[in-house]
């Protein structure tokens, strides 16, 4: 890189050519004030506060927009410069609402800081002042234009970070203001309440409503942690005062998200102090759950579990671990099940979401995880997004995809619904639900017919290609169109964009691929497509499942699976078993345990008698919830450990109050395999305990020895037994984390998998055939019900967030205008959705987002338990339920 020499304030510096004067000054710790500049946003040059004096230039130069030139002589603090800055500040103060004593920004206001520094003490310029009414039209953000300095940070944050373009300037001169289109309020606009504008505002024009009056900046302690909602793994700071979390602020140096957050991460953490939190153990006495002491609960649990094990054997017991709990807690619970109870009957909610990803990618590649990184997304050149709705389910990743589109990425969206990303896509493949394999095979058929496959990659790095080619012969675009409803020409065009653009291509998917009775086959079909085109093991390529929950990747890594120890080491592998036996000091079962759906069947047929459930609510989240409820009710003994009295907890014999993410230390592993710290910010509420402590204490009551003094010690043991985590420790993770595999203590992690070779050696082509869903529409149930998430909620936990529930309080079943006319149902009316398993009443939203013949619902609301409707049929390889397709009918209320 070329370097140049220049002089600043009489000192010489050698800097990279092309640097701005501001970036040079920042690197050299030379103070230059700015108001419009923000490192995460594109340059703007609006405030002119960063002006400097450059010899040979007649006018003062804005440092943020002036390129450093060899031989340049610069002064940043000359009298002329300081006088210009002071005048600019006086002009800003002249039209600024000066209520600093009560302003929420007092102590962190950048305008106040510079006014103090430059001696601006009063209104020098008298005249008319702005008088705008405050905008409090939403539960989250207060907007006061009387304090706005027109720096444009919020405008650029909305465009550059979120890609939403809600804000812009209106008016000129004195009437110039930042506003949504047509002078709408925030609440009326298309704002998604990510809060990026809030994060970058330098003054009190944008403030968080819930934090108003809660504390001054100097009174607040900030604790860096990891978001407890989706699998993106955003980092943020919990703001703590007086032993309470009063809000969240984003952190520019968070490795995954920077300043970006979504409405849930920024505003949904008020669930921490929801008064419905469990604060003491509960024991069922005379049919009623009543408060009890910890020693009573532990004694009862230990006694009953021992009795069942003695009478029926260890395999009469089972446990569900949690994708919401830390890695350390998942490690401990699976160890408790295996080493103390003596069974491999342990599973968790990955079974009902991404178990198909683990099974499919492990078969094809040898590793069941996302191959590439989130960081690459904005620079991607070609992207296939199939069975995923990232802007709602993984909003920060979705915003990066919108950034990619703005940077010229060619995006193909394959989805039955018109998701937001369709607006940014070059091509939308609106396939019939459940026909993903046919579509993917059709793309590969065209690629082979046109000779667009990567022959060198296939020959050098894969096996099984001949079998795949044979299966693909019948999947002509016309045949695929007859199965999927996607026009044959669109199949051809998609294949060309993906394989013949001359650029690497990425695949992203979520539960629209995995949650089918053929989910594992769907995943292997995508792996086939990536290998066929050589899009594995390099930047801006790969197969990238976006994991749904904050630690569902980590829970799998930690061995909360019936067939695997931590690190995906098979329980049937004698060498692996001996390794764990030597450390744990007990003999371990060589038999694979039951998957979650098998556990429920075993409850009903009497093979399972006792179950321990940590941080899961299968009655609400699992398909065919009546079946789940019947199964858990049939148990002799049920323990639930959670932070709220969930529908599953209401069935329990003992309920143990666990800790929220803010009340304990540990780690989460996000969708890109990044292991990150979760740091305790407050004490557990009431008499609740951190979940890791509960497991350790219970193990002691059961006769086991879990002498861990901290979660860090648990991770040390995990690393000693788990090769992909061998170099992970709390000390090493810092604020950026590490991406596994981390095979050595001095290894820096592995951002991209399979660069030189696949984990299994050669990648394996697994030919798969299209097959229909377990239940398709018929005369009695003529519609297809499919389920998913919405932006404002996450599974069931955000139902306990007052702010999110105020903003989005109820379920809507989405139906097409044609189906609405056929059923004579109007938008906003209430209807019954009925399947073979049950019925619910819900309001209806008439929208062109869904295909005719389709109903879309979420599962976030306790008042509308959507999983009463869904089909309990499951993928026989992964055990994943078919949430995405079942037959339904709509009845006018």
């Amino acid at each position: 890189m070329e370097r140049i020499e220049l002089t600043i304030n009489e000192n010489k510096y050698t800097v990279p050519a092309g640097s701005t004067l501001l970036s040079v000054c920042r690197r050299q710790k030379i103070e230059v004030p700015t108001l419009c500049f923000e490192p995460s946003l594109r340059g703007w040059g609006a405030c002119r506060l960063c002006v400097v004096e450059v010899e040979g230039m007649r006018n003062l130069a804005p440092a943020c927009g002036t390129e450093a030139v060899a031989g340049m002589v610069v002064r940043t603090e000359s009298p002329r410069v300081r006088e210009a800055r002071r005048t600019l500040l006086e002009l800003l103060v002249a039209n600024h609402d000066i209520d600093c004593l009560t302003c929420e920004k007092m102590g962190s206001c950048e305008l106040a800081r510079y006014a103090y520094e430059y001696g601006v003490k009063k209104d020098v310029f008298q005249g008319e002042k702005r008088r705008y009414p405050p905008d409090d039209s939403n539960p989250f953000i207060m907007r006061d234009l009387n304090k706005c300095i027109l720096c444009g940070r919020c405008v650029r944050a909305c465009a550059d970070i979120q890609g939403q373009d809600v804000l812009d300037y209106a008016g000129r001169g004195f009437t110039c203001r930042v506003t949504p289109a047509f002078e709408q309020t925030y609440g009326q606009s298309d704002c998604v309440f990510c809060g990026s504008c809030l994060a970058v505002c330098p003054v009190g024009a944008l403030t968080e409503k819930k934090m108003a009056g809660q504390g001054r900046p100097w009174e607040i302690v900030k604790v860096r942690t990891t978001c407890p909602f989706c699998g993106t793994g955003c980092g943020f700071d919990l703001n703590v005062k007086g032993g309470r979390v009063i809000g969240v602020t984003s952190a520019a140096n968070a490795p995954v998200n920077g300043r970006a957050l979504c409405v849930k991460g920024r505003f949904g953490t008020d669930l921490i102090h929801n008064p419905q939190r469990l604060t003491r153990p509960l024991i069922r006495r005379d049919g009623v759950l009543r408060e009890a002491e910890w020693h009573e609960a532990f004694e009862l649990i230990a006694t009953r579990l021992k009795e069942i094990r003695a009478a029926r054997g260890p395999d009469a017991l089972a446990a569900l671990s949690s994708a919401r709990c830390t890695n350390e807690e998942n490690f401990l619970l699976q160890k408790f099940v295996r080493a103390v109870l003596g069974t491999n009957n342990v599973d968790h909610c990955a079974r009902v979401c991404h178990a198909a990803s683990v099974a499919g990618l492990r078969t094809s590649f040898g590793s069941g995880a996302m191959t590439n990184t989130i960081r690459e997304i904005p620079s991607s050149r070609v992207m296939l997004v199939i069975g995923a709705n990232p802007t709602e389910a993984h909003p920060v990743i979705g915003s990066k995809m919108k950034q990619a589109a703005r940077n010229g990425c060619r995006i193909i969206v394959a989805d039955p619904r018109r998701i937001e990303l369709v607006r940014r896509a070059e091509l939308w493949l609106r396939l019939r639900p459940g026909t993903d394999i046919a579509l993917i095979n059709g793309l590969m058929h065209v690629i082979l017919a046109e000779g667009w496959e990567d022959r060198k990659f296939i020959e050098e790095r894969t096996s099984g290609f001949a079998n795949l080619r044979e299966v693909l012969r019948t999947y002509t675009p016309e045949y695929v169109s007859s199965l999927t409803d996607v026009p044959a020409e669109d199949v051809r065009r998609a294949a060309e964009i993906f394989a013949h653009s001359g650029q690497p291509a990425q695949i992203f998917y979520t539960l629209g691929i995995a949650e089918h009775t053929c989910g594992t086959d769907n995943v292997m079909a995508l792996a086939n497509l990536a290998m066929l085109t050589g899009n594995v093991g390099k930047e801006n390529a790969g197969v990238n499942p976006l994991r749904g929950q904050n630690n569902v990747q980590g829970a799998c890594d930690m061995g909360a699976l019936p067939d695997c120890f931590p690190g995906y080491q098979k329980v049937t592998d004698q060498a692996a078993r001996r390794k764990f036996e030597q450390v744990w000091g007990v003999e371990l079962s060589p038999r694979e345990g039951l998957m979650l759906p098998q556990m429920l069947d075993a409850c009903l047929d009497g093979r399972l008698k006792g179950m321990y459930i940590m941080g899961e609510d299968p009655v609400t989240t699992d398909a065919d919830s009546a079946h789940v409820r019947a199964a858990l009710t049939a148990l002799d003994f049920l323990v639930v450990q959670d932070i709220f009295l969930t529908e599953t907890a209401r069935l329990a014999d003992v309920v143990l109050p666990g800790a929220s993410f803010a009340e304990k230390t540990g780690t989460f592993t996000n969708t890109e395999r990044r292991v990150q710290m979760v740091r305790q910010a407050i004490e557990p509420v009431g008499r609740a305990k951190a979940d890791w402590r509960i497991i350790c204490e219970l193990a002691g009551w059961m006769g086991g020895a879990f002498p861990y003094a901290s979660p860090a010690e648990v991770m040390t043991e995990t690393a000693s037994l788990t090769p992909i985590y061998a170099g992970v420790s709390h000390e090493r993770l810092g604020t950026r984390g590490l991406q596994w595999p981390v095979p050595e203590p001095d290894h820096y992690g592995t951002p991209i998998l399979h660069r030189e070779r696949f984990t299994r050696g050669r990648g394996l082509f697994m030919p798969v055939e299209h097959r229909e869903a377990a239940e398709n529409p018929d005369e009695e149930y003529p519609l297809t019900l499919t389920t998913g998430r919405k932006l404002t909620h996450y599974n069931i936990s955000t139902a306990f967030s007052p702010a999110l529930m105020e903003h989005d309080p109820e379920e809507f079943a989405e139906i097409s205008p044609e189906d609405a006319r056929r059923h004579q149902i109007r938008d906003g009316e209430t209807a019954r959705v009925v399947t073979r398993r049950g019925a619910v009443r819900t309001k209806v939203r008439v929208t062109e987002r869904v295909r005719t013949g389709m109903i879309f619902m979420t599962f976030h609301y306790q008042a509308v338990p959507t999983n009463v409707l869904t089909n309990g049929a499951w993928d026989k390889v992964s055990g994943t339920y078919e949430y995405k397709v079942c037959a339904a009918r709509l009845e006018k209320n």
Side-chain angles (χ1 to χ4, degrees):
M1 177 186 293
E2 182 187 356
R3 299 182 69 82
I4 61 168
E5 186 179 270
L6 77 165
T7 302
I8 303 176
N9 298 339
E10 313 303 328
N11 296 308
K12 294 188 181 298
Y13 300 97
T14 302
V15 301
S19 302
T20 65
L21 289 178
L22 181 62
S23 66
V24 172
C25 289
R26 291 274 166 97
R27 282 197 294 269
Q28 302 302 328
K29 310 298 184 187
I30 300 170
E31 176 68 24
V32 174
T34 61
L35 286 172
C36 71
F37 179 78
E38 161 58 42
S40 62
L41 305 175
R42 68 184 185 276
W44 197 244
C47 72
R48 284 317 201 242
L49 196 61
C50 67
V51 290
V52 295
E53 191 172 2
V54 179
E55 282 191 7
M57 287 189 180
R58 185 176 63 180
N59 296 323
L60 297 178
C64 66
T66 303
E67 184 176 325
V69 176
M72 186 177 272
V73 178
V74 181
R75 297 179 183 87
T76 67
E77 291 290 328
S78 68
R80 183 185 176 199
V81 167
R82 289 191 64 84
E83 182 60 30
R85 292 174 183 166
R86 182 182 299 108
T87 301
L88 286 166
L89 290 166
E90 288 170 345
L91 287 166
L92 288 172
V93 169
N95 204 11
H96 189 79
D97 188 4
I98 308 295
D99 71 337
C100 300
L101 293 179
T102 59
C103 181
E104 289 299 317
K105 276 283 189 171
M106 183 181 183
S108 60
C109 174
E110 295 177 36
L111 178 61
R113 171 193 167 192
Y114 293 132
Y116 178 83
E117 188 174 318
Y118 283 83
V120 178
K121 299 182 179 180
K122 61 181 180 178
D123 283 1
V124 175
F125 301 99
Q126 300 297 316
E128 184 180 355
K129 289 184 179 288
R130 294 174 295 189
R131 291 290 183 267
Y132 294 109
D135 174 7
D136 65 347
S137 58
N138 66 89
F140 310 119
I141 299 172
M142 175 66 77
R143 187 167 64 112
D144 185 352
L145 291 181
N146 302 307
K147 297 179 182 177
C148 177
I149 59 173
L150 300 175
C151 67
R153 286 192 193 179
C154 60
V155 176
R156 285 172 287 149
C158 192
D160 297 359
I161 296 176
Q162 187 59 33
Q164 200 67 13
D165 298 295
V166 169
L167 298 173
D168 211 336
Y169 289 104
R172 291 179 178 274
F174 179 77
T175 65
C176 185
R177 62 212 174 275
V178 173
T179 179
F182 309 113
E183 304 292 342
Q184 292 176 315
T185 65
Y186 264 24
Q188 294 167 332
S189 73
D190 291 332
C191 178
V192 296
F193 297 105
C194 66
S196 294
C197 57
L198 184 71
V200 298
C201 182
V203 292
L206 297 170
T207 55
E208 184 175 340
K209 291 177 73 172
K210 298 291 185 182
M211 288 182 67
Q214 296 299 304
R216 296 297 195 180
W218 59 85
E219 300 174 315
I220 294 170
V221 176
K222 292 181 182 288
V223 180
R224 178 65 53 83
T225 193
T226 304
C227 182
F229 296 126
C230 82
T232 303
C234 294
F236 57 51
D237 292 332
L238 290 174
N239 288 226
V240 180
K241 182 190 173 188
R244 292 178 61 88
V245 174
I246 63 171
V248 161
T249 47
S250 51
N253 64 344
V256 175
N257 55 302
R259 288 198 183 275
L261 288 172
C262 76
V263 63
K264 298 181 286 289
R266 196 177 295 276
F267 302 114
T269 55
D270 56 351
L271 63 81
I272 294 167
H273 298 293
N274 188 307
Q276 297 180 60
R277 281 286 303 274
L278 292 169
T279 59
R280 294 188 63 173
L282 305 175
I283 292 176
R284 189 172 299 280
R285 295 186 173 112
D286 300 322
V288 178
L289 287 169
R290 303 182 189 279
E291 288 188 349
E293 299 299 326
W294 275 103
H295 70 88
E296 295 177 285
F298 283 139
E299 184 176 19
L300 177 58
I301 295 168
T303 299
R304 294 292 287 119
L305 293 181
K306 288 178 181 177
E307 288 173 351
I308 292 171
R309 184 175 59 185
R312 303 297 296 268
D315 288 336
L317 299 170
L320 295 181
S321 200
S322 178
R324 294 167 56 205
C325 291
T326 64
N327 285 322
E328 292 77 6
E329 289 160 347
N330 280 281
F331 178 88
L332 288 173
L333 188 62
Q334 64 83 34
K335 178 179 177 179
F336 173 79
V337 173
R338 291 183 162 113
V340 178
L341 299 185
T343 179
N344 286 312
N345 289 339
V346 60
D347 210 349
H348 74 290
C349 71
R351 185 63 52 203
V352 300
C353 57
H354 269 293
S357 294
V358 175
L361 293 179
R362 193 163 60 186
T363 299
S364 298
F365 296 163
S367 174
M370 182 171 170
T371 61
N372 287 60
T373 69
I374 296 169
R375 175 191 57 79
E376 301 165 39
I377 295 174
S379 63
S380 293
R381 308 314 304 158
V382 178
M383 191 183 297
L384 170 62
V385 181
I386 180 168
N389 185 10
T391 59
E392 296 198 68
H394 301 83
V396 168
I397 290 176
S399 68
K400 291 181 182 295
M401 290 179 175
K402 290 190 284 186
Q403 293 168 25
R406 186 164 291 188
N407 293 335
C409 181
R410 305 179 72 185
I411 298 178
I412 307 161
V413 171
D415 201 288
R417 297 173 69 224
R418 186 189 293 272
I419 61 172
E420 182 191 353
L421 209 58
V422 168
R423 291 196 297 125
R424 319 291 175 127
E426 182 172 334
L427 183 63
W428 176 30
L429 308 176
R430 193 173 204 174
L431 73 168
R432 178 170 65 89
T435 60
D436 305 275
I437 290 172
L439 176 64
I440 299 162
N441 281 357
L443 299 180
M444 291 190 286
H445 174 99
V446 174
I447 291 166
L448 286 175
E450 298 293 338
W452 295 334
E453 73 274 17
D454 188 331
R455 294 173 186 171
K456 184 173 186 292
F457 185 92
I458 293 167
E459 291 172 2
E460 294 180 357
R461 297 200 53 191
T462 69
S463 60
F465 173 63
N467 295 333
L468 175 71
R469 181 170 50 195
E470 187 61 33
V471 167
L472 295 178
R473 293 186 191 280
T474 59
Y475 286 87
T476 64
E478 290 71 24
Y479 175 58
V480 169
S481 181
S482 72
L483 295 173
T484 64
D485 295 341
V486 175
E489 189 51 44
D490 285 352
V491 176
R492 294 187 179 92
R493 188 176 166 208
E496 182 175 5
I497 293 170
F498 189 84
H500 196 53
S501 67
Q503 301 282 355
Q506 289 192 293
I507 298 170
F508 293 92
Y509 72 90
T510 57
L511 303 184
I513 286 292
E515 287 181 342
H516 292 274
T517 49
C518 58
T520 303
D521 286 355
N522 285 347
V523 172
M524 292 190 295
L526 288 174
N528 291 341
L529 175 61
M531 290 189 290
L532 184 69
T533 54
N535 279 302
V536 184
K538 59 187 179 184
E539 195 163 341
N540 300 124
V543 181
N544 301 287
L546 304 179
R547 305 304 292 262
Q549 298 202 48
N550 55 299
N551 199 35
V552 70
Q553 179 67 58
C556 292
D557 298 344
M558 293 298 104
L561 300 167
D563 61 333
C564 292
F565 294 121
Y568 308 98
Q569 300 168 87
K570 302 291 286 185
V571 298
T572 54
D573 182 328
Q574 187 178 38
R577 203 165 56 251
R578 283 179 177 170
K579 177 173 71 172
F580 283 88
E581 287 173 342
Q582 287 173 358
V583 174
W584 293 348
V586 296
E587 185 176 343
L588 300 173
S589 172
R591 296 183 300 278
E592 291 188 358
L594 298 175
M595 296 186 291
L596 174 53
Q598 295 170 325
M599 289 181 185
L600 298 176
D601 291 342
C603 292
L604 290 169
D605 66 24
R607 286 176 291 146
L608 272 186
K609 293 297 183 180
M611 186 175 287
Y612 192 108
I613 299 177
M614 178 180 74
E616 300 275 339
D617 185 14
V619 170
T620 304
T621 60
D622 284 23
D624 190 4
S625 58
H627 173 72
V628 179
R629 185 180 294 272
L632 296 181
T633 303
L635 288 165
D636 288 352
F637 189 65
L638 173 63
V639 182
V640 173
Q641 180 176 319
D642 214 311
I643 64 173
F644 293 105
L645 192 64
T646 63
E647 290 301 304
T648 302
R650 293 178 190 277
L651 303 178
D653 297 288
V654 181
V655 179
L656 302 178
S660 77
F661 79 106
E663 299 154 10
K664 57 191 176 185
T665 292
T667 56
F668 293 157
T669 304
N670 78 341
T671 190
E672 63 174 355
R673 298 167 282 106
R674 186 182 296 274
V675 188
Q676 300 183 99
M677 287 299 302
V678 178
R679 294 180 176 87
Q680 183 173 352
I682 59 174
E683 292 299 316
V685 298
R687 298 180 64 183
K689 293 175 182 276
D691 298 84
W692 70 273
R693 290 190 183 276
I694 296 174
I695 301 165
C696 289
E697 290 186 41
L698 180 58
W701 280 84
M702 293 285 296
F706 281 28
Y708 307 100
S710 69
E713 290 187 8
V714 181
M715 179 53 74
T716 298
E717 181 174 313
T718 302
S720 72
L721 291 166
T722 312
I724 59 175
Y725 276 69
V728 174
S729 67
H730 285 196
E731 293 74 19
R732 290 198 68 206
L733 292 178
T735 59
R736 302 197 64 80
L738 292 165
Q739 288 176 271
W740 68 253
V742 189
E744 302 290 342
D746 58 352
H747 194 277
Y748 288 100
T750 309
I752 297 176
L753 297 180
H754 317 303
R755 275 197 180 273
E756 304 298 328
R757 62 189 297 276
F758 287 96
T759 305
R760 70 182 309 278
R762 281 179 171 262
L764 178 63
F765 284 108
M766 289 292 293
V768 291
E769 297 271 16
H770 165 74
R771 66 177 188 269
E772 289 293 323
E775 184 180 88
N776 275 317
D778 55 23
E779 187 174 343
E780 185 179 4
Y781 297 95
L783 304 174
T784 297
L785 171 66
T786 190
T787 65
R789 292 183 182 174
K790 63 164 66 172
L791 171 64
T792 46
H793 284 287
Y794 160 84
N795 288 13
I796 58 168
S797 59
T798 52
F800 296 99
S801 163
L804 295 177
M805 286 300 288
E806 178 186 349
H807 179 58
D808 192 354
E810 57 189 346
E811 176 66 60
F812 285 89
E814 293 184 359
I815 63 172
S816 72
E818 185 175 335
D819 286 328
R821 286 191 296 270
R822 182 179 300 123
H823 291 85
Q824 298 182 331
I825 297 174
R826 296 179 180 177
D827 187 71
E829 290 185 339
T830 300
R832 290 180 82 233
V833 181
V834 186
T835 70
R836 289 180 171 85
R837 290 152 294 280
V840 299
R841 281 185 170 82
T842 178
K843 287 186 177 180
V844 168
R845 177 161 290 149
V846 179
T847 173
E848 293 183 351
R849 279 166 57 97
V850 295
R851 293 166 46 105
T852 296
M854 177 179 170
I855 305 171
F856 174 82
M857 296 179 68
T858 73
F859 53 96
H860 304 307
Y861 297 93
Q862 296 171 343
V864 183
T866 300
N867 281 317
V868 166
L869 307 172
T870 48
N871 191 0
W874 43 280
D875 182 326
K876 299 309 177 187
V877 176
S878 67
T880 305
Y881 296 125
E882 190 152 57
Y883 292 95
K884 300 305 179 188
V885 182
C886 76
R889 69 170 181 262
L890 197 62
E891 297 177 354
K892 187 170 182 179
N893 212 25

